[in-house]
Amino acid sequence: MTRTMLFYGHVASNWGDLAINAGALELMRRAEVDIEGSMAVLLAPSDQFRRQAGFTLKGMKQLIVPSDGRARGGRDEVELLIDYVAHPHRFAEDVGMADVDLVVLNAGEHLFESATGENLIDLVWRILPALAAQSLKKPVLLLPSTVGPFRTSFGTALEEFLHQGVDAAAYRDLESRRLESPDLGQELPVLLDPGFFVPGLRAQEEENRDEDALGIVLRPEDMGIRPGSRRSAFVQNKLRDSQFRSSQAFQLFSSVAEAHLADGGKVKVIVQTRADREISTAVADHLTEVAGSDRVELIDPTGFRSFVDELGRLGALVTSRFHSVILASSQAVPTVGVFSETHGHKMPGLFELLKFPDCAVRLDDRSISAVRDEVDAALSTVRGSIDEIHNRIRANRTLVRRWFAEAIASQETTTFDTSALRIEALALLYRAGLERAQNESLSQVLQAVHDLRDADSRLDDNAPGAESR
């Protein structure tokens, strides 16, 4: 049986990330991978979320990198990455890659270059396992992922590597294929996200469904891994000033929910991740003022399975969360996606893959009434077409299983010269290391000045004749 090494197991508060883990594990089980002999590598996981993530990787051994325990975010991390990129076999040795048959990249949405370059270090960690696998002549498989855009010569080299240096790779949305550079050789297939393979995804029995309940799973605009952590923190703090009422997402989802309540329905506001908790609470509080607590419910699941089950019991769903679309649609719940440009291209690309492109509605800087009209039209479409969508999902699952099984059976390795990619990565890492060193030095100087001032203040307080304070 094939033993795999999965890079990386997602560890986060986001149930969508854990859906990728659970689906990837199920894909491997179906392909008769030796799960107990396989390894899930975790990238500096938070202890706070590791237990929940462990449930979605059950059966696999787990390994944490950096293996020496050094913290992420400092100059030491950059120095380690420089060594690994220059000598990929050292990373392979540190994680025990020689003991497995196949390296699986579980990238999700992490393969892109942000406009600010903020995600460079994370991006290098994401491709490092493939470079290490090449050094050992181990086959590499990239699970269906959202890819791009790329903005630098490093990105160009990376894109070429994904097409020509990885043994099997796929997109999970059609927009990623549109973004790819020309002349890269054979087109990558577009296949379903691993989240579609979470065990137990099926239409709920009628007695378990609440057809009057409209689900709302929302996120603030201009926040997430693409805008970056600094921008996301700035936007979150700015929206707090208005209790999120200045947010376009708040205004749109409140408007959609109010219309449903006016028609006599119920609304369930469901939280997918910690980052959405505040805006979800604000929307639920507002709707409760409008219609009362008996018809509005805020649901903040404490476990992954309860999140999946809550989605499956809805009559319909409007969401700006990608994996809420996946997990609800896979349970035959009519679902409309809402997206902003800053959230990336995965949402429209998914609905185009499902052949219902008009059911992904763009928000951005548009009038709420115009967007509401499009959401209403999309809801009408998906309600009338959910059987077709659900059947298409089931048919496409078969394609992914076949692709995955064939990739495992092949065990062929691609020959690709990674020197250009590694040189570009090293140049950017060197620059990032200098910036981090400067920042750390400045922080040390500022701390020293602060300590000196504190010492001077204490001396003044103890001087003869000093006034008591």
Side-chain angles (χ1 to χ4, degrees):
M1 295 176 72
T2 302
R3 294 164 300 169
T4 65
M5 187 166 275
L6 183 74
F7 293 91
Y8 295 93
H10 296 284
V11 179
S13 71
N14 191 329
W15 303 124
D17 288 336
L18 301 195
I20 299 176
N21 286 350
L25 184 64
E26 180 66 9
L27 267 174
M28 289 190 283
R29 286 190 193 281
R30 291 292 190 98
E32 298 185 347
V33 164
D34 178 5
I35 299 298
E36 287 70 26
S38 296
M39 180 81 70
V41 182
L42 312 180
L43 182 56
S46 164
D47 290 339
Q48 183 179 2
F49 307 122
R50 188 175 172 189
R51 180 171 169 272
Q52 288 283 1
F55 289 137
T56 59
L57 296 167
K58 193 171 183 179
M60 299 185 80
K61 293 174 284 188
Q62 294 180 20
L63 173 72
I64 294 174
V65 295
S67 56
D68 59 5
R70 75 181 70 193
R72 295 194 65 196
R75 180 175 50 180
D76 286 350
E77 180 188 19
V78 177
E79 290 174 351
L80 178 65
L81 275 178
I82 287 173
D83 183 53
Y84 279 157
V85 171
H87 311 285
H89 66 277
R90 292 180 181 171
F91 179 74
E93 290 169 1
D94 284 351
V95 299
M97 193 176 285
D99 296 331
V100 301
D101 306 303
L102 174 69
V103 169
V104 179
L105 304 183
N106 191 33
E109 194 182 1
H110 289 274
L111 298 178
F112 73 99
E113 288 184 298
S114 72
T116 62
E118 186 178 337
N119 72 323
L120 169 67
I121 303 301
D122 184 74
L123 182 57
V124 174
W125 276 114
R126 300 288 164 180
I127 64 165
L128 181 59
L131 295 174
Q134 273 232 338
S135 73
L136 299 183
K137 294 183 169 49
K138 298 280 185 183
V140 180
L141 181 148
L142 171 64
L143 290 171
S145 304
T146 293
V147 178
F150 297 112
R151 307 170 188 275
T152 67
S153 52
F154 166 61
T156 300
L158 172 54
E159 189 178 19
E160 184 179 4
F161 178 54
L162 294 176
H163 276 74
Q164 300 174 16
V166 172
D167 303 286
Y171 298 129
R172 64 179 184 177
D173 63 90
L174 280 163
E175 287 296 320
S176 288
R177 176 184 280 175
R178 282 204 188 87
L179 284 174
E180 70 182 9
S181 301
D183 306 320
L184 285 172
Q186 185 176 356
E187 280 189 333
L188 299 185
V190 183
L191 300 170
L192 294 179
D193 176 87
F196 281 101
F197 297 87
V198 169
L201 290 181
R202 61 181 64 85
Q204 298 270 359
E205 299 295 334
E206 284 189 24
E207 59 267 24
N208 295 328
R209 294 279 284 266
D210 189 348
E211 294 296 340
D212 292 333
L214 174 68
I216 296 291
V217 182
L218 77 158
R219 62 186 297 185
E221 65 273 19
D222 208 11
M223 288 175 57
I225 66 170
R226 288 179 181 267
S229 58
R230 289 188 291 269
R231 175 67 182 171
S232 296
F234 171 79
V235 171
Q236 182 90 320
N237 287 329
K238 184 179 178 182
L239 293 176
R240 283 186 184 126
D241 292 339
S242 67
Q243 296 181 307
F244 292 89
R245 290 173 185 261
S246 62
S247 160
Q248 276 197 303
F250 178 99
Q251 294 168 23
L252 173 66
F253 283 88
S254 294
S255 176
V256 171
E258 287 170 19
H260 185 73
L261 290 167
D263 289 338
K266 293 180 290 186
V267 170
K268 296 185 179 184
V269 183
I270 305 174
V271 180
Q272 179 172 306
T273 180
R274 185 175 60 170
D276 302 341
R277 188 170 289 146
E278 288 184 66
I279 192 170
S280 299
T281 301
V283 169
D285 288 347
H286 167 71
L287 296 174
T288 299
E289 291 175 5
V290 171
S293 58
D294 58 327
R295 295 172 58 208
V296 178
E297 185 178 1
L298 174 66
I299 300 172
D300 194 352
T302 58
F304 173 65
R305 195 72 241 177
S306 63
F307 175 72
V308 173
D309 291 343
E310 288 291 351
L311 293 176
R313 286 192 282 265
L314 298 170
L317 173 68
V318 179
T319 180
S320 45
R321 281 291 178 185
F322 183 74
H323 280 96
S324 285
V325 173
I326 289 170
L327 296 172
S329 298
S330 297
Q331 298 180 86
V333 174
T335 302
V336 172
V338 175
F339 69 98
S340 299
E341 293 292 341
T342 52
H343 295 159
H345 52 273
K346 58 186 178 181
M347 186 75 83
L350 170 62
F351 275 91
E352 188 170 359
L353 176 61
L354 296 177
K355 301 193 183 302
F356 283 85
D358 292 341
C359 295
V361 180
R362 185 172 63 85
L363 180 55
D364 290 313
D365 295 321
R366 304 174 61 207
S367 86
I368 298 302
S369 61
V371 179
R372 245 291 305 283
D373 289 344
E374 292 182 20
V375 169
D376 290 344
L379 269 172
S380 178
T381 297
V382 293
R383 281 183 168 126
S385 307
I386 188 57
D387 288 343
E388 180 183 346
I389 294 170
H390 194 223
N391 288 335
R392 182 165 289 124
I393 288 170
R394 288 189 290 184
N396 276 274
R397 281 185 183 135
T398 302
L399 296 177
V400 181
R401 291 191 190 103
R402 184 183 306 143
W403 168 81
F404 191 77
E406 288 175 355
I408 289 178
S410 170
Q411 292 290 303
E412 292 182 2
T413 56
T414 301
T415 301
F416 184 85
D417 183 1
T418 63
S419 56
L421 171 61
R422 289 159 55 206
I423 289 169
E424 293 288 350
L426 288 169
L428 292 176
L429 287 171
Y430 179 72
R431 188 181 309 159
L434 289 177
E435 290 174 357
R436 288 192 177 184
Q438 289 172 345
N439 290 337
E440 289 176 12
S441 297
L442 178 59
S443 296
Q444 291 169 359
V445 169
L446 291 174
Q447 184 61 49
V449 170
H450 177 76
D451 293 344
L452 286 171
R453 284 176 175 167
D454 280 353
D456 288 345
S457 177
R458 287 192 295 272
L459 286 173
D460 289 343
D461 288 344
N462 295 327
E467 294 183 10
S468 59
R469 298 187 180 182

